[in-house]
Amino acid sequence: MNFRNYLLFIAPALLIYLLFFAGPIFSGLYYGFTDWNGFSFKADWVGLENFREAFRDPLLLTALKNMAVLSVVVIVLQHSASILLAVLLDQKLKGIVWMRAIIFFPVILNTVVIGYVWSYMYAPMVGFLPKFFAAIGLDGLAQLDWIGDPKLAIYAIALVMVWQYTGYSMMIYLAGLQSVSGEIYEASSIDGAGPWNKFWKVTLPLLIPSIIVNTVLSVIGCMKMFEHVFIMTQGGPANSTQTFGIMIYQYAFKTSQMGYGTAMAMILSVMILAVTFVQIKLLSRLEVAN
Amino acid sequence: MTTTLQKTSIYTVLVIALLIVLVPMAVMVSVSLQTPANINPLSLPKDPQWSNYTEAFRTGNLLPYFGNSILVLVMTTAAAIGVSVLAAYGLHHGKRYKSEAMSTFFLMGLILPAFSGTIPAFLVLREIHLLNTHIGLSLIQIASGLALPIFLYVNFFKTVPSEIEEAALVDGCGPWRTFVKIIFPLTLPITVTCIIVVAINSWNDFFNPLIYLSSPDMRTLPVGLMAFKSQYNTNWPQMFAGATLVALPIILLYLFVQRFIIKGLVGGAVKG
């Protein structure tokens, strides 16, 4: 293939990608240093002012804290559940293909639908969880106002993410398990290892590369969090569920501080790139070790 | 090898997991058929109110939203598949033009948060008068969703034996004819996967239509469905009838092609 043909093959994709994705992200590098409001053509260079202001912004601190809470809940709950399910669904049992498919299903469900359903699951007094807990006699749990209580709301949203994405990480672990050769298991059986020992001594160590890719993907998902929060709480109550996504949206489109919003987006992008970079480093080190 | 006791405990765990996934969905459908005055999430509807659905369809203005969503989905999917398969073929054969660097550049699309570029992209669309149009929304969806199909196609092309292309070259086919006549037909299985994944992402996209479509009659389904929240603050049955209608096409599609969906969505992550 000559250079002209090479260019022609990639040109349509490159053009669209540059104009509507990569280009805007790079030009954000400029707007983040201006006081631009998004409507006038005038955007004054303010240097690092937006960033100085951002690091004094109490909302940024809340967003960082929520990012951490979401990541921890998701890593602990979602990944232990999905590793367990992947191991169980790796067996040859009846109906296994359909069980995998059902557990994966919420991944492709519309976020607005999920937001509605879970708003109702949590709804105080009338919702499913309060009524369910009351019916089984757990009055303490039945009294909880899951998304109306500023202390609980972010955890309630984290649980929705766990509900939606456990199937996704489960499938990635399943793919990881299926690349492990059966001989290793046979060898460990011959050595007299029971299922419990096999899991801790064979399966888990072999899954470590999958665990790194998979948890980092989840963390990036938590960092980019927007839709679930937007639909369920809009960042409330009392700003307790603010995330970078919600903040950027509000600054840019509600209060027309586009320069400031873009600076926030840059801070987020830098954090995401850093997390991705660490992931790649860790993985390449593991590959060398193997 | 597995004992009965082990089997029983495995099934118990799996059934609990299935219930956790399915109960919220069942609650949605069950409540969608009840009357607002006596909702009971713990029981099935005694006297199914199918009128909730017709009512939701009418008052929620869902028909035009369905139309808008389908239009955007078709434009986005057709164009995204077309440009990504071409780009992937170019990237695969362009190693001597540093195409690895170009591939990495495209792959950034999987990592970078789209909203870092949202505000400037908003301006680009405004400058070229495509703000608040379905074509404009489609272009944004194509650009932010290119990385995955390109990645899947590049991986696929690595598995195509080079003899096939060499034979075509000997027979006098240029790269374009080879691509159209020989390579593209081979990609069919992976193309099906890419079509489904791109289509689902377009159908479910909430953020982009929220930002780039301002007039109510241009809205796609997910954003249109948001209107239910303010309109029927306490009318859960109607909200859920609307939500079920929006989820239904995906549920039906999933029943038939779940293998392709899972392969596409997970394939991108596992090899990445």
Side-chain angles (χ1 to χ4, degrees), chain A residues 1-3 5 17 36 94 101 108 110 116 163 224 231 258 269, chain B residues 11 20 96-97 105 109 111 116 119 123 175-176 204 225 229 254:
Chain A
M1 188 182 284
N2 59 32
F3 190 61
N5 274 326
Y17 186 66
W36 181 56
K94 259 197 185 145
I108 58 151
N110 197 295
Y116 277 3
W163 179 80
K224 292 186 192 176
I231 293 154
M258 294 245 186
S269 299
Chain B
Y11 274 116
I20 294 175
R96 79 196 109 124
Y97 315 114
F105 179 58
I111 300 158
S116 291
I119 300 158
L123 284 180
W176 291 91
N204 282 342
L225 192 62
K229 197 161 189 176
Y254 188 70

PDB file of all heavy atoms in Angstrom, chain A residues 1-3 5 17 36 94 101 108 110 116 163 224 231 258 269, chain B residues 11 20 96-97 105 109 111 116 119 123 175-176 204 225 229 254:
ATOM      1  N   MET A   1       0.844  -1.203   0.000  1.00  0.00           N
ATOM      2  CA  MET A   1       0.000   0.000   0.000  1.00  0.00           C
ATOM      3  C   MET A   1       0.881   1.256   0.000  1.00  0.00           C
ATOM      4  O   MET A   1       1.777   1.370   0.828  1.00  0.00           O
ATOM      5  CB  MET A   1      -0.895  -0.016   1.267  1.00  0.00           C
ATOM      6  CG  MET A   1      -1.930   1.075   1.268  1.00  0.00           C
ATOM      7  SD  MET A   1      -2.905   1.041   2.796  1.00  0.00           S
ATOM      8  CE  MET A   1      -3.985  -0.344   2.482  1.00  0.00           C
ATOM      9  N   ASN A   2       0.630   2.160  -0.964  1.00  0.00           N
ATOM     10  CA  ASN A   2       1.444   3.377  -0.968  1.00  0.00           C
ATOM     11  C   ASN A   2       0.892   4.414   0.003  1.00  0.00           C
ATOM     12  O   ASN A   2      -0.201   4.245   0.557  1.00  0.00           O
ATOM     13  CB  ASN A   2       1.572   3.952  -2.389  1.00  0.00           C
ATOM     14  CG  ASN A   2       0.215   4.291  -2.981  1.00  0.00           C
ATOM     15  OD1 ASN A   2      -0.695   4.665  -2.246  1.00  0.00           O
ATOM     16  ND2 ASN A   2       0.085   4.154  -4.286  1.00  0.00           N
ATOM     17  N   PHE A   3       1.644   5.490   0.205  1.00  0.00           N
ATOM     18  CA  PHE A   3       1.301   6.465   1.232  1.00  0.00           C
ATOM     19  C   PHE A   3      -0.034   7.145   0.934  1.00  0.00           C
ATOM     20  O   PHE A   3      -0.838   7.403   1.828  1.00  0.00           O
ATOM     21  CB  PHE A   3       2.414   7.515   1.345  1.00  0.00           C
ATOM     22  CG  PHE A   3       2.256   8.404   2.541  1.00  0.00           C
ATOM     23  CD1 PHE A   3       2.273   7.867   3.822  1.00  0.00           C
ATOM     24  CD2 PHE A   3       2.058   9.776   2.382  1.00  0.00           C
ATOM     25  CE1 PHE A   3       2.112   8.693   4.923  1.00  0.00           C
ATOM     26  CE2 PHE A   3       1.890  10.592   3.485  1.00  0.00           C
ATOM     27  CZ  PHE A   3       1.921  10.057   4.761  1.00  0.00           C
ATOM     28  N   ASN A   5      -2.643   5.900  -0.675  1.00  0.00           N
ATOM     29  CA  ASN A   5      -3.743   5.008  -0.318  1.00  0.00           C
ATOM     30  C   ASN A   5      -3.910   4.896   1.194  1.00  0.00           C
ATOM     31  O   ASN A   5      -5.032   4.881   1.703  1.00  0.00           O
ATOM     32  CB  ASN A   5      -3.513   3.620  -0.908  1.00  0.00           C
ATOM     33  CG  ASN A   5      -4.042   3.540  -2.327  1.00  0.00           C
ATOM     34  OD1 ASN A   5      -5.043   4.173  -2.657  1.00  0.00           O
ATOM     35  ND2 ASN A   5      -3.341   2.797  -3.175  1.00  0.00           N
ATOM     36  N   TYR A  17     -12.638  12.241  13.774  1.00  0.00           N
ATOM     37  CA  TYR A  17     -12.059  12.111  15.110  1.00  0.00           C
ATOM     38  C   TYR A  17     -11.392  13.415  15.535  1.00  0.00           C
ATOM     39  O   TYR A  17     -11.567  13.876  16.671  1.00  0.00           O
ATOM     40  CB  TYR A  17     -11.046  10.965  15.076  1.00  0.00           C
ATOM     41  CG  TYR A  17     -10.443  10.578  16.400  1.00  0.00           C
ATOM     42  CD1 TYR A  17     -11.220  10.032  17.407  1.00  0.00           C
ATOM     43  CD2 TYR A  17      -9.080  10.720  16.619  1.00  0.00           C
ATOM     44  CE1 TYR A  17     -10.654   9.646  18.612  1.00  0.00           C
ATOM     45  CE2 TYR A  17      -8.503  10.328  17.820  1.00  0.00           C
ATOM     46  CZ  TYR A  17      -9.297   9.804  18.813  1.00  0.00           C
ATOM     47  OH  TYR A  17      -8.744   9.418  19.998  1.00  0.00           O
ATOM     48  N   TRP A  36     -13.289  32.627  29.500  1.00  0.00           N
ATOM     49  CA  TRP A  36     -14.288  32.600  28.452  1.00  0.00           C
ATOM     50  C   TRP A  36     -15.666  32.135  28.962  1.00  0.00           C
ATOM     51  O   TRP A  36     -15.755  31.213  29.763  1.00  0.00           O
ATOM     52  CB  TRP A  36     -13.753  31.664  27.391  1.00  0.00           C
ATOM     53  CG  TRP A  36     -14.602  31.513  26.216  1.00  0.00           C
ATOM     54  CD1 TRP A  36     -15.078  32.479  25.390  1.00  0.00           C
ATOM     55  CD2 TRP A  36     -15.071  30.290  25.694  1.00  0.00           C
ATOM     56  NE1 TRP A  36     -15.792  31.937  24.393  1.00  0.00           N
ATOM     57  CE2 TRP A  36     -15.806  30.593  24.552  1.00  0.00           C
ATOM     58  CE3 TRP A  36     -14.923  28.960  26.082  1.00  0.00           C
ATOM     59  CZ2 TRP A  36     -16.405  29.613  23.800  1.00  0.00           C
ATOM     60  CZ3 TRP A  36     -15.516  27.994  25.327  1.00  0.00           C
ATOM     61  CH2 TRP A  36     -16.252  28.317  24.197  1.00  0.00           C
ATOM     62  N   LYS A  94     -25.705 -26.850  33.837  1.00  0.00           N
ATOM     63  CA  LYS A  94     -26.871 -26.583  32.986  1.00  0.00           C
ATOM     64  C   LYS A  94     -27.272 -25.115  33.048  1.00  0.00           C
ATOM     65  O   LYS A  94     -27.253 -24.512  34.114  1.00  0.00           O
ATOM     66  CB  LYS A  94     -28.043 -27.448  33.434  1.00  0.00           C
ATOM     67  CG  LYS A  94     -28.232 -28.649  32.555  1.00  0.00           C
ATOM     68  CD  LYS A  94     -29.609 -29.266  32.747  1.00  0.00           C
ATOM     69  CE  LYS A  94     -29.684 -30.545  31.930  1.00  0.00           C
ATOM     70  NZ  LYS A  94     -30.464 -31.578  32.572  1.00  0.00           N
ATOM     71  N   ALA A 101     -25.541 -14.526  30.533  1.00  0.00           N
ATOM     72  CA  ALA A 101     -26.193 -13.486  29.725  1.00  0.00           C
ATOM     73  C   ALA A 101     -27.082 -12.597  30.583  1.00  0.00           C
ATOM     74  O   ALA A 101     -27.102 -11.377  30.412  1.00  0.00           O
ATOM     75  CB  ALA A 101     -26.994 -14.128  28.597  1.00  0.00           C
ATOM     76  N   ILE A 108     -26.014  -3.214  29.311  1.00  0.00           N
ATOM     77  CA  ILE A 108     -26.469  -2.536  28.096  1.00  0.00           C
ATOM     78  C   ILE A 108     -27.805  -1.829  28.285  1.00  0.00           C
ATOM     79  O   ILE A 108     -28.364  -1.297  27.346  1.00  0.00           O
ATOM     80  CB  ILE A 108     -26.574  -3.512  26.908  1.00  0.00           C
ATOM     81  CG1 ILE A 108     -27.533  -4.647  27.248  1.00  0.00           C
ATOM     82  CG2 ILE A 108     -25.215  -4.040  26.537  1.00  0.00           C
ATOM     83  CD1 ILE A 108     -28.212  -5.194  26.025  1.00  0.00           C
ATOM     84  N   ASN A 110     -30.365   1.085  29.301  1.00  0.00           N
ATOM     85  CA  ASN A 110     -30.289   2.543  29.270  1.00  0.00           C
ATOM     86  C   ASN A 110     -30.155   3.144  30.672  1.00  0.00           C
ATOM     87  O   ASN A 110     -30.874   2.761  31.589  1.00  0.00           O
ATOM     88  CB  ASN A 110     -31.587   3.039  28.636  1.00  0.00           C
ATOM     89  CG  ASN A 110     -31.462   4.444  28.172  1.00  0.00           C
ATOM     90  OD1 ASN A 110     -31.289   5.351  28.978  1.00  0.00           O
ATOM     91  ND2 ASN A 110     -31.508   4.615  26.885  1.00  0.00           N
ATOM     92  N   TYR A 116     -34.305   5.607  36.830  1.00  0.00           N
ATOM     93  CA  TYR A 116     -35.705   5.602  37.261  1.00  0.00           C
ATOM     94  C   TYR A 116     -35.995   4.418  38.174  1.00  0.00           C
ATOM     95  O   TYR A 116     -36.600   4.557  39.237  1.00  0.00           O
ATOM     96  CB  TYR A 116     -36.633   5.525  36.049  1.00  0.00           C
ATOM     97  CG  TYR A 116     -36.895   6.844  35.392  1.00  0.00           C
ATOM     98  CD1 TYR A 116     -36.264   8.001  35.844  1.00  0.00           C
ATOM     99  CD2 TYR A 116     -37.780   6.951  34.328  1.00  0.00           C
ATOM    100  CE1 TYR A 116     -36.506   9.206  35.243  1.00  0.00           C
ATOM    101  CE2 TYR A 116     -38.029   8.159  33.722  1.00  0.00           C
ATOM    102  CZ  TYR A 116     -37.392   9.285  34.183  1.00  0.00           C
ATOM    103  OH  TYR A 116     -37.645  10.476  33.593  1.00  0.00           O
ATOM    104  N   TRP A 163     -24.543  -2.840  40.780  1.00  0.00           N
ATOM    105  CA  TRP A 163     -25.622  -3.642  40.184  1.00  0.00           C
ATOM    106  C   TRP A 163     -25.466  -3.693  38.668  1.00  0.00           C
ATOM    107  O   TRP A 163     -25.582  -4.747  38.055  1.00  0.00           O
ATOM    108  CB  TRP A 163     -26.981  -3.040  40.559  1.00  0.00           C
ATOM    109  CG  TRP A 163     -28.151  -3.782  39.972  1.00  0.00           C
ATOM    110  CD1 TRP A 163     -28.701  -4.925  40.446  1.00  0.00           C
ATOM    111  CD2 TRP A 163     -28.890  -3.426  38.800  1.00  0.00           C
ATOM    112  NE1 TRP A 163     -29.741  -5.317  39.638  1.00  0.00           N
ATOM    113  CE2 TRP A 163     -29.881  -4.410  38.625  1.00  0.00           C
ATOM    114  CE3 TRP A 163     -28.822  -2.379  37.881  1.00  0.00           C
ATOM    115  CZ2 TRP A 163     -30.785  -4.380  37.570  1.00  0.00           C
ATOM    116  CZ3 TRP A 163     -29.728  -2.349  36.832  1.00  0.00           C
ATOM    117  CH2 TRP A 163     -30.693  -3.337  36.691  1.00  0.00           C
ATOM    118  N   LYS A 224     -15.207   9.165  35.606  1.00  0.00           N
ATOM    119  CA  LYS A 224     -16.000   9.839  34.576  1.00  0.00           C
ATOM    120  C   LYS A 224     -17.482   9.950  34.941  1.00  0.00           C
ATOM    121  O   LYS A 224     -18.294  10.425  34.153  1.00  0.00           O
ATOM    122  CB  LYS A 224     -15.920   9.058  33.260  1.00  0.00           C
ATOM    123  CG  LYS A 224     -14.576   9.062  32.574  1.00  0.00           C
ATOM    124  CD  LYS A 224     -14.762   8.373  31.224  1.00  0.00           C
ATOM    125  CE  LYS A 224     -13.455   8.041  30.554  1.00  0.00           C
ATOM    126  NZ  LYS A 224     -13.671   7.287  29.301  1.00  0.00           N
ATOM    127  N   ILE A 231     -29.184  11.685  36.643  1.00  0.00           N
ATOM    128  CA  ILE A 231     -30.570  11.230  36.602  1.00  0.00           C
ATOM    129  C   ILE A 231     -31.149  11.056  38.010  1.00  0.00           C
ATOM    130  O   ILE A 231     -32.288  11.403  38.268  1.00  0.00           O
ATOM    131  CB  ILE A 231     -30.682   9.926  35.786  1.00  0.00           C
ATOM    132  CG1 ILE A 231     -30.372  10.237  34.320  1.00  0.00           C
ATOM    133  CG2 ILE A 231     -32.069   9.308  35.909  1.00  0.00           C
ATOM    134  CD1 ILE A 231     -29.854   9.072  33.545  1.00  0.00           C
ATOM    135  N   MET A 258     -17.435  28.729  31.099  1.00  0.00           N
ATOM    136  CA  MET A 258     -16.892  27.671  30.248  1.00  0.00           C
ATOM    137  C   MET A 258     -15.389  27.515  30.438  1.00  0.00           C
ATOM    138  O   MET A 258     -14.875  26.401  30.403  1.00  0.00           O
ATOM    139  CB  MET A 258     -17.213  27.972  28.789  1.00  0.00           C
ATOM    140  CG  MET A 258     -18.681  27.912  28.495  1.00  0.00           C
ATOM    141  SD  MET A 258     -19.057  26.584  27.353  1.00  0.00           S
ATOM    142  CE  MET A 258     -20.792  26.853  27.064  1.00  0.00           C
ATOM    143  N   SER A 269      -8.967  14.976  33.111  1.00  0.00           N
ATOM    144  CA  SER A 269      -8.268  14.221  32.065  1.00  0.00           C
ATOM    145  C   SER A 269      -6.873  13.838  32.510  1.00  0.00           C
ATOM    146  O   SER A 269      -6.420  12.718  32.259  1.00  0.00           O
ATOM    147  CB  SER A 269      -8.152  15.046  30.784  1.00  0.00           C
ATOM    148  OG  SER A 269      -9.419  15.367  30.314  1.00  0.00           O
TER     149      SER A 269
ATOM    150  N   TYR B  11     -25.392 -23.408  42.735  1.00  0.00           N
ATOM    151  CA  TYR B  11     -26.682 -22.933  42.225  1.00  0.00           C
ATOM    152  C   TYR B  11     -27.320 -21.918  43.160  1.00  0.00           C
ATOM    153  O   TYR B  11     -27.947 -20.953  42.713  1.00  0.00           O
ATOM    154  CB  TYR B  11     -27.638 -24.104  41.951  1.00  0.00           C
ATOM    155  CG  TYR B  11     -27.446 -24.696  40.578  1.00  0.00           C
ATOM    156  CD1 TYR B  11     -27.009 -26.002  40.402  1.00  0.00           C
ATOM    157  CD2 TYR B  11     -27.690 -23.934  39.436  1.00  0.00           C
ATOM    158  CE1 TYR B  11     -26.823 -26.544  39.135  1.00  0.00           C
ATOM    159  CE2 TYR B  11     -27.509 -24.455  38.159  1.00  0.00           C
ATOM    160  CZ  TYR B  11     -27.070 -25.763  38.019  1.00  0.00           C
ATOM    161  OH  TYR B  11     -26.885 -26.275  36.762  1.00  0.00           O
ATOM    162  N   ILE B  20     -30.934 -10.724  42.235  1.00  0.00           N
ATOM    163  CA  ILE B  20     -30.528  -9.335  42.420  1.00  0.00           C
ATOM    164  C   ILE B  20     -30.597  -8.579  41.090  1.00  0.00           C
ATOM    165  O   ILE B  20     -30.997  -7.422  41.024  1.00  0.00           O
ATOM    166  CB  ILE B  20     -29.113  -9.253  43.030  1.00  0.00           C
ATOM    167  CG1 ILE B  20     -29.142  -9.821  44.458  1.00  0.00           C
ATOM    168  CG2 ILE B  20     -28.603  -7.816  43.049  1.00  0.00           C
ATOM    169  CD1 ILE B  20     -27.784  -9.898  45.128  1.00  0.00           C
ATOM    170  N   ARG B  96       4.745   0.923   7.672  1.00  0.00           N
ATOM    171  CA  ARG B  96       5.955   1.704   7.352  1.00  0.00           C
ATOM    172  C   ARG B  96       5.694   3.199   7.414  1.00  0.00           C
ATOM    173  O   ARG B  96       6.602   4.000   7.261  1.00  0.00           O
ATOM    174  CB  ARG B  96       6.551   1.215   6.023  1.00  0.00           C
ATOM    175  CG  ARG B  96       5.927   1.674   4.767  1.00  0.00           C
ATOM    176  CD  ARG B  96       6.383   0.812   3.596  1.00  0.00           C
ATOM    177  NE  ARG B  96       5.275  -0.034   3.154  1.00  0.00           N
ATOM    178  CZ  ARG B  96       4.823  -0.043   1.896  1.00  0.00           C
ATOM    179  NH1 ARG B  96       5.398   0.665   0.986  1.00  0.00           N
ATOM    180  NH2 ARG B  96       3.806  -0.801   1.570  1.00  0.00           N
ATOM    181  N   TYR B  97       4.456   3.606   7.633  1.00  0.00           N
ATOM    182  CA  TYR B  97       4.173   5.036   7.819  1.00  0.00           C
ATOM    183  C   TYR B  97       3.876   5.337   9.286  1.00  0.00           C
ATOM    184  O   TYR B  97       3.082   6.211   9.603  1.00  0.00           O
ATOM    185  CB  TYR B  97       3.008   5.477   6.942  1.00  0.00           C
ATOM    186  CG  TYR B  97       3.104   4.965   5.532  1.00  0.00           C
ATOM    187  CD1 TYR B  97       2.173   4.054   5.047  1.00  0.00           C
ATOM    188  CD2 TYR B  97       4.143   5.368   4.694  1.00  0.00           C
ATOM    189  CE1 TYR B  97       2.269   3.563   3.759  1.00  0.00           C
ATOM    190  CE2 TYR B  97       4.242   4.881   3.411  1.00  0.00           C
ATOM    191  CZ  TYR B  97       3.310   3.974   2.939  1.00  0.00           C
ATOM    192  OH  TYR B  97       3.410   3.479   1.662  1.00  0.00           O
ATOM    193  N   PHE B 105      -3.146   6.951  18.890  1.00  0.00           N
ATOM    194  CA  PHE B 105      -3.892   8.209  18.891  1.00  0.00           C
ATOM    195  C   PHE B 105      -5.402   7.933  18.834  1.00  0.00           C
ATOM    196  O   PHE B 105      -6.181   8.509  19.602  1.00  0.00           O
ATOM    197  CB  PHE B 105      -3.436   9.050  17.693  1.00  0.00           C
ATOM    198  CG  PHE B 105      -4.148  10.358  17.555  1.00  0.00           C
ATOM    199  CD1 PHE B 105      -4.116  11.292  18.579  1.00  0.00           C
ATOM    200  CD2 PHE B 105      -4.848  10.662  16.391  1.00  0.00           C
ATOM    201  CE1 PHE B 105      -4.764  12.506  18.446  1.00  0.00           C
ATOM    202  CE2 PHE B 105      -5.493  11.872  16.254  1.00  0.00           C
ATOM    203  CZ  PHE B 105      -5.457  12.790  17.285  1.00  0.00           C
ATOM    204  N   GLY B 109      -9.303   7.556  22.361  1.00  0.00           N
ATOM    205  CA  GLY B 109     -10.748   7.746  22.427  1.00  0.00           C
ATOM    206  C   GLY B 109     -11.420   6.840  23.438  1.00  0.00           C
ATOM    207  O   GLY B 109     -12.515   7.134  23.916  1.00  0.00           O
ATOM    208  N   ILE B 111     -10.076   6.134  26.346  1.00  0.00           N
ATOM    209  CA  ILE B 111      -9.640   6.495  27.685  1.00  0.00           C
ATOM    210  C   ILE B 111     -10.092   7.896  28.084  1.00  0.00           C
ATOM    211  O   ILE B 111     -10.621   8.111  29.158  1.00  0.00           O
ATOM    212  CB  ILE B 111      -8.093   6.417  27.770  1.00  0.00           C
ATOM    213  CG1 ILE B 111      -7.622   4.997  27.452  1.00  0.00           C
ATOM    214  CG2 ILE B 111      -7.603   6.852  29.139  1.00  0.00           C
ATOM    215  CD1 ILE B 111      -6.188   4.948  26.997  1.00  0.00           C
ATOM    216  N   SER B 116     -14.212  16.297  28.473  1.00  0.00           N
ATOM    217  CA  SER B 116     -13.087  17.231  28.401  1.00  0.00           C
ATOM    218  C   SER B 116     -13.174  18.064  27.126  1.00  0.00           C
ATOM    219  O   SER B 116     -12.690  19.178  27.075  1.00  0.00           O
ATOM    220  CB  SER B 116     -11.764  16.485  28.393  1.00  0.00           C
ATOM    221  OG  SER B 116     -11.545  15.904  29.638  1.00  0.00           O
ATOM    222  N   ILE B 119     -17.118  21.213  25.626  1.00  0.00           N
ATOM    223  CA  ILE B 119     -17.384  22.629  25.416  1.00  0.00           C
ATOM    224  C   ILE B 119     -16.828  23.088  24.063  1.00  0.00           C
ATOM    225  O   ILE B 119     -17.563  23.665  23.258  1.00  0.00           O
ATOM    226  CB  ILE B 119     -16.848  23.452  26.602  1.00  0.00           C
ATOM    227  CG1 ILE B 119     -17.552  22.962  27.876  1.00  0.00           C
ATOM    228  CG2 ILE B 119     -17.068  24.924  26.390  1.00  0.00           C
ATOM    229  CD1 ILE B 119     -16.821  23.265  29.158  1.00  0.00           C
ATOM    230  N   LEU B 123     -18.846  24.304  20.420  1.00  0.00           N
ATOM    231  CA  LEU B 123     -18.528  25.454  19.565  1.00  0.00           C
ATOM    232  C   LEU B 123     -18.316  25.075  18.125  1.00  0.00           C
ATOM    233  O   LEU B 123     -18.749  25.772  17.215  1.00  0.00           O
ATOM    234  CB  LEU B 123     -17.210  26.056  20.044  1.00  0.00           C
ATOM    235  CG  LEU B 123     -17.347  26.836  21.282  1.00  0.00           C
ATOM    236  CD1 LEU B 123     -16.002  27.381  21.655  1.00  0.00           C
ATOM    237  CD2 LEU B 123     -18.318  27.955  21.013  1.00  0.00           C
ATOM    238  N   PRO B 175      -5.308  -2.027  -3.910  1.00  0.00           N
ATOM    239  CA  PRO B 175      -5.728  -2.142  -2.512  1.00  0.00           C
ATOM    240  C   PRO B 175      -7.226  -1.882  -2.313  1.00  0.00           C
ATOM    241  O   PRO B 175      -7.855  -2.514  -1.462  1.00  0.00           O
ATOM    242  CB  PRO B 175      -4.886  -1.084  -1.804  1.00  0.00           C
ATOM    243  CG  PRO B 175      -4.257  -0.254  -2.863  1.00  0.00           C
ATOM    244  CD  PRO B 175      -4.226  -1.073  -4.103  1.00  0.00           C
ATOM    245  N   TRP B 176      -7.821  -1.010  -3.091  1.00  0.00           N
ATOM    246  CA  TRP B 176      -9.237  -0.708  -2.892  1.00  0.00           C
ATOM    247  C   TRP B 176     -10.113  -1.855  -3.316  1.00  0.00           C
ATOM    248  O   TRP B 176     -11.061  -2.212  -2.619  1.00  0.00           O
ATOM    249  CB  TRP B 176      -9.623   0.577  -3.638  1.00  0.00           C
ATOM    250  CG  TRP B 176      -8.987   1.746  -2.991  1.00  0.00           C
ATOM    251  CD1 TRP B 176      -7.779   2.291  -3.290  1.00  0.00           C
ATOM    252  CD2 TRP B 176      -9.496   2.470  -1.860  1.00  0.00           C
ATOM    253  NE1 TRP B 176      -7.503   3.309  -2.431  1.00  0.00           N
ATOM    254  CE2 TRP B 176      -8.537   3.454  -1.552  1.00  0.00           C
ATOM    255  CE3 TRP B 176     -10.649   2.399  -1.103  1.00  0.00           C
ATOM    256  CZ2 TRP B 176      -8.708   4.345  -0.502  1.00  0.00           C
ATOM    257  CZ3 TRP B 176     -10.833   3.288  -0.072  1.00  0.00           C
ATOM    258  CH2 TRP B 176      -9.865   4.246   0.229  1.00  0.00           C
ATOM    259  N   ASN B 204     -28.449   4.204  23.567  1.00  0.00           N
ATOM    260  CA  ASN B 204     -28.434   4.509  24.997  1.00  0.00           C
ATOM    261  C   ASN B 204     -27.807   5.855  25.323  1.00  0.00           C
ATOM    262  O   ASN B 204     -27.857   6.289  26.466  1.00  0.00           O
ATOM    263  CB  ASN B 204     -27.659   3.427  25.759  1.00  0.00           C
ATOM    264  CG  ASN B 204     -28.482   2.171  25.948  1.00  0.00           C
ATOM    265  OD1 ASN B 204     -29.703   2.204  25.824  1.00  0.00           O
ATOM    266  ND2 ASN B 204     -27.820   1.073  26.237  1.00  0.00           N
ATOM    267  N   LEU B 225     -37.252  10.715  27.727  1.00  0.00           N
ATOM    268  CA  LEU B 225     -37.753   9.987  28.893  1.00  0.00           C
ATOM    269  C   LEU B 225     -37.518  10.777  30.181  1.00  0.00           C
ATOM    270  O   LEU B 225     -38.304  10.675  31.132  1.00  0.00           O
ATOM    271  CB  LEU B 225     -37.043   8.628  28.969  1.00  0.00           C
ATOM    272  CG  LEU B 225     -37.595   7.585  29.944  1.00  0.00           C
ATOM    273  CD1 LEU B 225     -39.012   7.213  29.576  1.00  0.00           C
ATOM    274  CD2 LEU B 225     -36.711   6.352  29.932  1.00  0.00           C
ATOM    275  N   LYS B 229     -39.821  12.601  34.508  1.00  0.00           N
ATOM    276  CA  LYS B 229     -39.514  12.810  35.911  1.00  0.00           C
ATOM    277  C   LYS B 229     -40.184  14.069  36.441  1.00  0.00           C
ATOM    278  O   LYS B 229     -40.770  14.060  37.510  1.00  0.00           O
ATOM    279  CB  LYS B 229     -38.001  12.871  36.133  1.00  0.00           C
ATOM    280  CG  LYS B 229     -37.647  12.662  37.576  1.00  0.00           C
ATOM    281  CD  LYS B 229     -36.198  12.259  37.766  1.00  0.00           C
ATOM    282  CE  LYS B 229     -35.948  11.857  39.201  1.00  0.00           C
ATOM    283  NZ  LYS B 229     -34.604  11.381  39.411  1.00  0.00           N
ATOM    284  N   TYR B 254     -31.194  -8.075  22.639  1.00  0.00           N
ATOM    285  CA  TYR B 254     -30.259  -8.823  23.477  1.00  0.00           C
ATOM    286  C   TYR B 254     -30.564 -10.315  23.466  1.00  0.00           C
ATOM    287  O   TYR B 254     -29.662 -11.141  23.440  1.00  0.00           O
ATOM    288  CB  TYR B 254     -30.310  -8.274  24.898  1.00  0.00           C
ATOM    289  CG  TYR B 254     -29.240  -8.839  25.800  1.00  0.00           C
ATOM    290  CD1 TYR B 254     -27.909  -8.500  25.610  1.00  0.00           C
ATOM    291  CD2 TYR B 254     -29.558  -9.702  26.836  1.00  0.00           C
ATOM    292  CE1 TYR B 254     -26.920  -9.011  26.428  1.00  0.00           C
ATOM    293  CE2 TYR B 254     -28.571 -10.213  27.669  1.00  0.00           C
ATOM    294  CZ  TYR B 254     -27.261  -9.862  27.454  1.00  0.00           C
ATOM    295  OH  TYR B 254     -26.285 -10.371  28.261  1.00  0.00           O
TER     296      TYR B 254
END
